[in-house]
Amino acid sequence: MRTHHVITAALAASLALTACGATETAGTAPGGKGVSGVKWTVETLDNDGKREAAPAGAGAHLLIEDGKVQGNNGCADFTAPAEADGNSLTVKDAEVTDIGCDPAAMKFGEAFQKLITGKLTTAVSGDRLTLTTAGGDKITLTSKPETLTPLNGTRWTVDSLVEGQAVTSVPQDANGKAWFVIGKDGAVQGNLGCNNFTSKATAAGGEVTFGPLASTRMACTGPAGEVEKAVSAVLKGKVAYSVESGVLTLTAPNGKGLRADGRPAAS
């Protein structure tokens, strides 16, 4: 099991602090919409004449607050200081959490990091933010509200395990094996990584309470067994939950938890 770590590099993220028109003020988009504190979701990269869309469910986004830029590059979370000057933004070294991801998301994240390094020209038009490099490459983002992924009725596939601030990707041999669906009636079914299971769940006020698990009794060893043990410990009793950009995070009172990627459950 590979543990995620923090690395520092001259890569980063940005948000426009000014709009294009001379009548616009810093931090305000056309129509008076504030830019700071707004979550901008990455839509496309225009790199060397090629356009690439952000991977579905990757959660690539930017947010600026208190002179700090933070978000997700499509593969990893990051945070970085940045300086604004007119319609430009210069991003300094970033701290990036290397969480590991599938090849497509990793490729997108690397391209994203390359484009957002250094000084960028910023422009806001309506709900669109464009970041342009000195070489003319662009990142296009939107502030349109996300289509929320519901807790109930979604097939959640566990891809990471959490312990405090440490996030660990599921071992390759067990990738995609642990999943669960919480039905609209609260019935839960899925696989813990090795054994199938059922349970009941109720959600309220940012918390979900899982009832006793009933599972098959296959002997589970190796990576699948490790994942099953960790997932079983999280799907027990009352845990905090949040859903952002199609990713569910469950956190138990002891700080242990999991992250799961959401897809509509088969009917």
Side-chain angles (χ1 to χ4, degrees):
M1 186 175 295
R2 185 166 66 84
T3 301
H4 305 321
H5 55 280
V6 175
I7 59 175
T8 299
L11 40 96
S14 5
L15 279 178
L17 296 183
T18 60
C20 294
T23 59
E24 300 298 336
T25 58
T28 304
K33 181 176 182 178
V35 174
S36 296
V38 176
K39 179 177 178 180
W40 294 94
T41 301
V42 179
E43 291 189 324
T44 59
L45 304 180
D46 287 279
N47 187 18
D48 294 331
K50 297 180 180 179
R51 174 164 292 185
E52 182 176 2
H61 68 277
L62 302 175
L63 178 70
I64 187 167
E65 291 180 309
D66 301 324
K68 177 177 64 177
V69 177
Q70 58 187 349
N72 185 284
N73 62 20
C75 178
D77 294 335
F78 67 86
T79 183
E83 296 179 355
D85 181 12
N87 66 340
S88 68
L89 187 71
T90 301
V91 181
K92 299 183 179 180
D93 287 355
E95 287 189 349
V96 182
T97 303
D98 178 15
I99 63 172
C101 49
D102 62 66
M106 183 175 294
K107 179 181 177 182
F108 184 88
E110 290 174 350
F112 180 92
Q113 292 172 358
K114 177 182 177 182
L115 295 186
I116 61 177
T117 302
K119 188 173 183 179
L120 299 162
T121 300
T122 65
V124 181
S125 178
D127 58 15
R128 288 290 187 277
L129 167 64
T130 303
L131 308 176
T132 306
T133 70
D137 294 324
K138 296 180 180 181
I139 302 174
T140 303
L141 310 94
T142 181
S143 61
K144 287 183 179 179
E146 296 179 65
T147 300
L148 299 179
T149 304
L151 175 66
N152 298 76
T154 297
R155 180 185 172 105
W156 298 107
T157 302
V158 179
D159 57 23
S160 302
L161 302 175
V162 180
E163 185 165 358
Q165 298 299 313
V167 181
T168 306
S169 58
V170 170
Q172 188 64 36
D173 291 346
N175 188 34
K177 293 185 177 180
W179 63 273
F180 58 93
V181 176
I182 303 175
K184 293 182 179 180
D185 60 355
V188 184
Q189 62 177 335
N191 190 288
L192 297 167
C194 177
N195 283 288
N196 294 325
F197 80 98
T198 59
S199 182
K200 294 286 290 185
T202 57
E207 294 180 324
V208 58
T209 302
F210 290 93
L213 300 182
S215 70
T216 54
R217 298 180 177 275
M218 293 174 54
C220 304
T221 60
E226 294 178 17
V227 171
E228 174 146 323
K229 182 178 179 180
V231 172
S232 298
V234 176
L235 303 184
K236 181 179 180 181
K238 184 177 292 186
V239 299
Y241 84 91
S242 64
V243 178
E244 183 176 355
S245 300
V247 176
L248 169 68
T249 300
L250 297 178
T251 308
N254 62 4
K256 294 184 179 181
L258 60 81
R259 292 181 182 176
D261 185 57
R263 293 288 184 272
S267 57

